[in-house]
């Protein structure tokens, strides 16, 4: 969570900008779905819960899933949490304000629909790339780095100074 990150930062005596920005983005993305109709305490609680959604990062790294910018955690899981949070914290229809579960059920249906859509399209896209041998780069560039292939001088912008 964010307080744990702050404590680690104090012990290391430097900030991990990647984790700091990830935590800020996680909170912002998580509160964005409900931001039009929630109270301030709800927004703070939604953001704090979002910090815990960044914790599976170590599990993802151990399973060798290539997600260097934590996009699946920040946009995927925090986006799903955002949809769920609307069903809980919405002032007009949320479970915590009305006690009714119908709106939360609609949000859960939306989560399932979104997950089905994203998984299906991702499978089709990546499977077709794999079948056409376009999913991986040449092993040589995996070793020396793709920057050598993509960002060498001949492909960069050059400006002449007069």
């Amino acid at each position: 969570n964010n307080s744990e990150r702050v404590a680690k930062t104090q012990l290391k005596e430097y900030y991990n900008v990647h984790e700091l920005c990830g935590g800020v983005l996680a909170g912002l993305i998580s509160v964005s779905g409900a931001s039009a109709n929630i109270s301030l305490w709800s927004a703070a609680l939604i953001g704090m819960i979002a910090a815990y959604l960044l914790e599976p990062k170590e599990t993802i790294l151990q399973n060798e899933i290539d997600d260097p910018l934590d996009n699946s955690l920040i946009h995927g899981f925090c986006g799903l949490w955002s949809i769920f949070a609307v069903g809980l914290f919405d002032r007009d229809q949320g479970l915590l304000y009305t006690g009714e579960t119908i709106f939360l059920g609609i949000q859960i249906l939306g989560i399932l629909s979104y997950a089905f859509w994203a998984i299906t399209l991702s499978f089709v896209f990546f499977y077709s790339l794999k079948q056409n041998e376009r999913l991986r780069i040449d092993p040589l560039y995996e070793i020396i780095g793709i920057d050598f292939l993509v960002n060498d001088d001949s492909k960069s912008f050059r400006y002449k100074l007069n």
Side-chain angles (χ1 to χ4, degrees):
N1 62 26
N2 285 335
S3 59
E4 182 180 336
R5 287 190 180 99
V6 170
K8 286 180 184 175
T9 298
Q10 297 303 322
L11 293 174
K12 294 180 194 173
E13 296 182 8
Y14 64 89
Y15 288 97
N16 184 334
V17 176
H18 177 76
E19 284 185 4
L20 181 67
C21 290
V24 170
L25 276 174
L28 291 172
I29 288 167
S30 295
V31 79
S32 65
S35 62
N37 203 24
I38 58 171
S39 58
L40 197 55
W41 70 268
S42 298
L45 185 60
I46 291 168
M48 284 188 266
I49 292 170
Y52 287 100
L53 296 176
L54 296 179
E55 293 307 313
K57 178 179 180 179
E58 302 306 320
T59 306
I60 286 176
L61 291 175
Q62 288 172 356
N63 291 328
E64 297 182 12
I65 297 173
D66 189 16
D67 190 10
L69 300 177
D70 301 331
N71 285 328
S72 62
L73 290 172
I74 294 173
H75 295 283
F77 295 128
C78 291
L80 293 176
W81 163 237
S82 176
I83 297 168
F84 189 77
V86 172
L88 291 177
F89 297 105
D90 186 85
R91 283 187 281 194
D92 296 333
Q93 297 175 329
L95 177 66
L96 297 179
Y97 287 91
T98 64
E100 297 176 12
T101 58
I102 187 72
F103 189 63
L104 181 61
I106 292 169
Q107 296 305 109
I108 292 172
L109 180 63
I111 290 170
L112 294 174
S113 301
Y114 168 74
F116 176 76
W117 173 79
I119 290 168
T120 302
L121 286 181
S122 295
F123 175 77
V124 168
F125 179 72
F126 288 116
Y127 183 76
S128 65
L129 284 176
K130 185 176 182 180
Q131 290 302 103
N132 292 308
E133 298 177 359
R134 304 286 294 164
L135 188 59
R136 303 290 305 229
I137 62 171
D138 187 79
L140 174 67
Y141 289 112
E142 284 186 15
I143 295 168
I144 63 173
I146 192 71
D147 286 340
F148 182 75
L149 174 67
V150 177
N151 297 327
D152 67 341
D153 265 354
S154 66
K155 294 179 178 72
S156 63
F157 291 98
R158 294 185 181 178
Y159 296 102
K160 282 188 173 181
L161 298 175
N162 293 335

